[in-house]
C-alpha cells in the first residue's frame, strides 16, 4: 500500500504537496500556502525508511536536497508546517543521520520564528515565509490563536535547541507554557481559543478532538521525551486529563465510553475521528499517572479504542466517519451528511497500535487488519488512495485527495502494529503528532536554556 501511494505520487504529483489520485495530478490546500513544498515527500520519508524502501527514501532525499526551498512568498500554517515538515525532517535526520535533513529543519524553523512576534508571544496561526508577517484564521473566535496549534510545537522546538545549541526555540515554547500556567481555566478546562494580542481566552469551547487534541498529547510527550524529567509538563497533563474526565467523558446508554465537546458549560454528545487518538494517549500516559491510576487509564484507553472500533463497525464500508453522536437512539453513528466522510485519517489505527504495544491483546491486530482491508478495498484507486465522502453508502464517491498524513501516519501505524515491539521501542522514541519518531533526550539538566551541555 505504501508503494502504491508513493509510486503514484512520484509519477503524478512529484514536488506538489499532495496527490489527486483520480485526476492524477498535484494537489494542495491553504495550510501549505501557494508553493510546491513537496509535503508528501517530507511527511513520508521516515515511513519509507522504517519500511526499508531505501531507493524511494533516497529519491526523496535528493529532491529535498535540490529543490526544497523555504524562501518563498507563501503563507503557511505554523502548526502544520511544524508537525509535518520540521517533525518529518528531524525524524529523517535521527533515523538516517543525513545532515541535509537537520539543515533544512533548522532553516525552516528560522522562517517560523517571526510568527511569535505578537504582544503575548502566543504565535499567529499563519506566517508568510518570506515577509514574516503573521495573522490568524478568519474563522477563529475573536481573532484567537488555536490551542492545538500553538500548543503543538514543544517537541520539535526542544529538539531544535538540542541539535543547534541555540536556546531560542526552547525559550519560545517555554514562554507559551508559562503563560498558560498563569491563566485561569474555567472548570479546570483549557478553552480552544486564546487571543494573542490580549492574552485572553476566546469562546469557552474545549475539545480533545479538533482545535484541542495535540495540546494535551504534547504535555504528555514533553515529559516522555525529557526522560520523564519534565515533571511540570506531566503535572499539566494530569490536571488537564482529570478535568476532561470529569466534564467531557461519559458512558452512552448502550455502554460506550465517549469524549464529548464542551461548549460554554454544555456537553455536546459528539466525538470526532480526531478524538480517537486519545485512547492511545491515555494508554501511553498510564505509567507514571497520579495516585498510581495506571490500570484505570489503560482501561480508559481500551474503552475509547472499543468505541472508535464501533464507529467503524457500524458503517457500510467499515471505515469510520469524521464525527459520530451519542444522542437519543444514536450510538457511535454520524448523523449529518457532512460528517460521514473518511479522509484516510490515522487516529483510530494509532490507538490500536498503542493499545497493542501495552496489552498485546490480539483484538487490536484484528481491528487493524479490518481497517487495512477496508482502506484497500474502498480507498484504493489506480492512481493512489483517496478519501471517501460517505462511509454509510455502498457506492461511495471519492474526494480525490491522497493526504500526506496517510503516508506519514496511517500506513506507518499499521506497519508498526504488525511489527515486533523492538522496532522503535517506546522507551527510546516519542512520536510527534504526525507520527514522526523523535528520540528521548537523556539530558542531565531539564533546562535547555543556557545549558552548555547540549550540542
Ligand atoms: C494529522 O496531521 C495530525 O495527526 C494532527 O495532529 C491531526 N490531524 C491529522 C490527521 O488526521
Amino acid at each position: 500500500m505504501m508503494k502504491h501511494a508513493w509510486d503514484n505520487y512520484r509519477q503524478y504529483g512529484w514536488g506538489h504537496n499532495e496527490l489527486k489520485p483520480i485526476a492524477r495530478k498535484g494537489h494542495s490546500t491553504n495550510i501549505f500556502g501557494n508553493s510546491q513544498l513537496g509535503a508528501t515527500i517530507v511527511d513520508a520519508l521516515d515511513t519509507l525508511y522504517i519500511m526499508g524502501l531505501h531507493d524511494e527514501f533516497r529519491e526523496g532525499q535528493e529532491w529535498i536536497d535540490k529543490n526544497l526551498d523555504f524562501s518563498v512568498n507563501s503563507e503557511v500554517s505554523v502548526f502544520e508546517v511544524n508537525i509535518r515538515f520540521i517533525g518529518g525532517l528531524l525524524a529523517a535526520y535521527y533515523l538516517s543521520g543525513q545532515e541535509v535533513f537537520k539543515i533544512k529543519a533548522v532553516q525552516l524553523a528560522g522562517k517560523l520564528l517571526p510568527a511569535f512576534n505578537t504582544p503575548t508571544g502566543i504565535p499567529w496561526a499563519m506566517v508568510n515565509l518570506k515577509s514574516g508577517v503573521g495573522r490568524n484564521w478568519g474563522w477563529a473566535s475573536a481573532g484567537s490563536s488555536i490551542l492545538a496549534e500553538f500548543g503543538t510545537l514543544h517537541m520539535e522546538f526542544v529538539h531544535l535547541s538540542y541539535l543547534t545549541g541555540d536556546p531560542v526555540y526552547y525559550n519560545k515554547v517555554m514562554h507559551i507554557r508559562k503563560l498558560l500556567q498563569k491563566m485561569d481555566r474555567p472548570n479546570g478546562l483549557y478553552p480552544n481559543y486564546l487571543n494573542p494580542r490580549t492574552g485572553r481566552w476566546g469562546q469557552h469551547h474545549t475539545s480533545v478532538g479538533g482545535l484541542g487534541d495535540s495540546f494535551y498529547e504534547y504535555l504528555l510527550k514533553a515529559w516522555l521525551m525529557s526522560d520523564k524529567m519534565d515533571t511540570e509538563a506531566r503535572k499539566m497533563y494530569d490536571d488537564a486529563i482529570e478535568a476532561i474526565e470529569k466534564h467531557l467523558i461519559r458512558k452512552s446508554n448502550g455502554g460506550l465510553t465517549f469524549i464529548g465537546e464542551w461548549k460554554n458549560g454544555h456537553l455536546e454528545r459528539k466525538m470526532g475521528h480526531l478524538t480517537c487518538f486519545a485512547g492511545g494517549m491515555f494508554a501511553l500516559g498510564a505509567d507514571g499517572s497520579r495516585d498510581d491510576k495506571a490500570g484505570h487509564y489503560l482501561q480508559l484507553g481500551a474503552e475509547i479504542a472499543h468505541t472508535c472500533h464501533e464507529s467503524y463497525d457500524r458503517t457500510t464500508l467499515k471505515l469510520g466517519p469524521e464525527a459520530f453522536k451519542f444522542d437519543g437512539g444514536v450510538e457511535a453513528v454520524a448523523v449529518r451528511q457532512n460528517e460521514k466522510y473518511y479522509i484516510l485519517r490515522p487516529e483510530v489505527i494509532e490507538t490500536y497500535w498503542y493499545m497493542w504495544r501495552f496489552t498485546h491483546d490480539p483484538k487490536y491486530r484484528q481491528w487493524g487488519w479490518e481497517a487495512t482491508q477496508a482502506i484497500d478495498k474502498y480507498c484504493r484507486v489506480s492512481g493512489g488512495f483517496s478519501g471517501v465522502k460517505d462511509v454509510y453508502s455502498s457506492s461511495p464517491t471519492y474526494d480525490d485527495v491522497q493526504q500526506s498524513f496517510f503516508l506519514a501516519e496511517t500506513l506507518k501505524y499499521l506497519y508498526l502494529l504488525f511489527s515486533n515491539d523492538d522496532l522503535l521501542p517506546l522507551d527510546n522514541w516519542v512520536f510527534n503528532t504526525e507520527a514522526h519518531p523523535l528520540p528521548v533526550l537523556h539530558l542531565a539538566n531539564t533546562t535547555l536554556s543556557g545549558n552548555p551541555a547540549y550540542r
Side-chain angles (χ1 to χ4, degrees):
M1 289 167 80
M2 183 68 182
K3 275 284 284 172
H4 185 67
W6 175 265
D7 287 348
N8 278 288
Y9 167 76
R10 173 84 186 83
Q11 189 167 355
Y12 302 115
W14 194 237
H16 290 265
N17 289 316
E18 293 178 318
L19 168 71
K20 286 174 86 63
I22 294 170
R24 299 183 184 220
K25 59 180 191 183
H27 172 264
S28 198
T29 71
N30 61 343
I31 61 173
F32 304 121
N34 55 18
S35 297
Q36 291 187 23
L37 297 172
T40 296
I41 301 176
V42 182
D43 234 2
L45 276 174
D46 55 5
T47 307
L48 295 169
Y49 190 90
I50 292 161
M51 291 181 177
L53 295 169
H54 296 304
D55 292 343
E56 290 79 358
F57 179 86
R58 260 191 302 277
E59 270 181 327
Q61 177 175 344
E62 211 175 288
W63 186 89
I64 286 169
D65 198 11
K66 295 207 177 101
N67 302 292
L68 188 53
D69 175 15
F70 302 116
S71 321
V72 285
N73 183 11
S74 195
E75 191 181 52
V76 301
S77 156
V78 174
F79 158 77
E80 297 286 358
V81 162
N82 176 59
I83 66 169
R84 301 189 200 213
F85 284 78
I86 297 190
L89 290 165
L90 289 178
Y93 168 69
Y94 280 118
L95 288 169
S96 71
Q98 298 292 313
E99 287 287 316
V100 60
F101 300 127
K102 182 170 85 177
I103 293 166
K104 295 281 179 183
V106 175
Q107 275 172 5
L108 176 55
K111 299 277 181 189
L112 297 187
L113 287 178
F116 292 80
N117 295 335
T118 65
T120 56
I122 295 289
W124 300 115
M126 283 172 280
V127 71
N128 183 300
L129 293 176
K130 194 171 207 135
S131 68
V133 173
R135 68 182 175 106
N136 274 344
W137 304 111
W139 49 261
S141 159
S144 293
S145 300
I146 305 295
L147 183 69
E149 298 198 326
F150 64 78
T152 309
L153 303 167
H154 191 97
M155 290 183 68
E156 297 79 3
F157 275 48
V158 170
H159 272 277
L160 286 164
S161 279
Y162 170 74
L163 289 171
T164 61
D166 185 346
V168 63
Y169 312 102
Y170 174 82
N171 290 339
K172 296 283 181 211
V173 289
M174 285 311 283
H175 177 79
I176 297 176
R177 181 190 290 181
K178 294 292 168 204
L179 196 139
L180 287 175
Q181 276 184 324
K182 273 193 271 169
M183 294 186 65
D184 278 342
R185 280 174 287 136
N187 293 98
L189 297 168
Y190 287 92
N192 293 334
Y193 303 102
L194 180 59
N195 188 311
R197 291 185 202 275
T198 62
R200 295 215 185 94
W201 298 121
Q203 279 173 312
H204 285 189
H205 290 186
T206 295
S207 173
V208 186
L211 311 185
D213 48 11
S214 42
F215 164 67
Y216 307 100
E217 175 185 353
Y218 270 34
L219 292 176
L220 174 64
K221 290 181 175 177
W223 174 68
L224 288 169
M225 66 171 258
S226 71
D227 202 17
K228 305 187 178 173
M229 303 290 276
D230 185 354
T231 50
E232 184 177 75
R234 176 76 214 204
K235 183 183 178 313
M236 287 175 78
Y237 172 77
D238 287 334
D239 289 345
I241 292 309
E242 274 176 26
I244 284 166
E245 213 179 335
K246 185 160 169 206
H247 297 290
L248 270 63
I249 301 188
R250 296 284 179 271
K251 245 194 183 106
S252 71
N253 294 338
L256 296 178
T257 303
F258 67 93
I259 310 176
E261 306 253 323
W262 185 258
K263 300 212 161 139
N264 302 319
H266 165 79
L267 183 70
E268 198 183 358
R269 297 169 67 89
K270 185 165 96 175
M271 186 165 170
H273 191 287
L274 290 165
T275 321
C276 287
F277 93 97
M281 179 178 71
F282 292 141
L284 185 65
D287 192 21
S289 61
R290 193 178 280 164
D291 304 328
D292 199 17
K293 284 167 74 180
H296 168 74
Y297 285 113
L298 204 55
Q299 170 65 17
L300 191 55
E303 288 176 20
I304 299 299
H306 174 65
T307 299
C308 293
H309 176 254
E310 287 298 309
S311 80
Y312 274 52
D313 207 42
R314 295 176 189 197
T315 71
T316 308
L317 303 188
K318 305 294 173 199
L319 291 169
E322 180 68 5
F324 40 96
K325 289 216 148 183
F326 299 86
D327 239 350
V330 175
E331 297 252 339
V333 172
V335 175
R336 290 164 55 166
Q337 192 55 37
N338 65 0
E339 293 172 344
K340 294 183 178 173
Y341 60 88
Y342 173 68
I343 55 168
L344 305 170
R345 286 200 193 279
E347 292 76 18
V348 175
I349 291 162
E350 173 181 350
T351 278
Y352 294 163
W353 174 61
Y354 280 108
M355 290 308 302
W356 164 257
R357 278 277 172 110
F358 290 112
T359 67
H360 289 136
D361 184 332
K363 80 178 172 208
Y364 295 114
R365 279 190 165 169
Q366 179 55 38
W367 292 353
W369 184 236
E370 286 168 12
T372 311
Q373 287 178 303
I375 293 170
D376 210 44
K377 187 160 174 192
Y378 298 113
C379 300
R380 181 193 277 260
V381 294
S382 59
F385 286 89
S386 168
V388 289
K389 290 187 182 159
D390 185 349
V391 291
Y392 301 96
S393 163
S394 49
S395 50
T397 44
Y398 298 112
D399 69 1
D400 199 13
V401 181
Q402 178 174 284
Q403 306 276 348
S404 77
F405 54 66
F406 180 62
L407 295 88
E409 298 194 71
T410 312
L411 293 177
K412 186 188 287 136
Y413 286 131
L414 280 173
Y415 186 78
L416 290 171
L417 177 61
F418 295 98
S419 300
N420 292 336
D421 293 0
D422 58 2
L423 180 59
L424 298 171
L426 289 170
D427 284 343
N428 300 341
W429 295 89
V430 186
F431 288 70
N432 91 338
T433 194
E434 188 79 359
H436 296 305
L438 301 176
V440 170
L441 296 176
H442 299 278
L443 298 167
N445 183 344
T446 48
T447 315
L448 279 170
S449 175
N451 173 9
Y454 62 112
R455 50 187 169 105

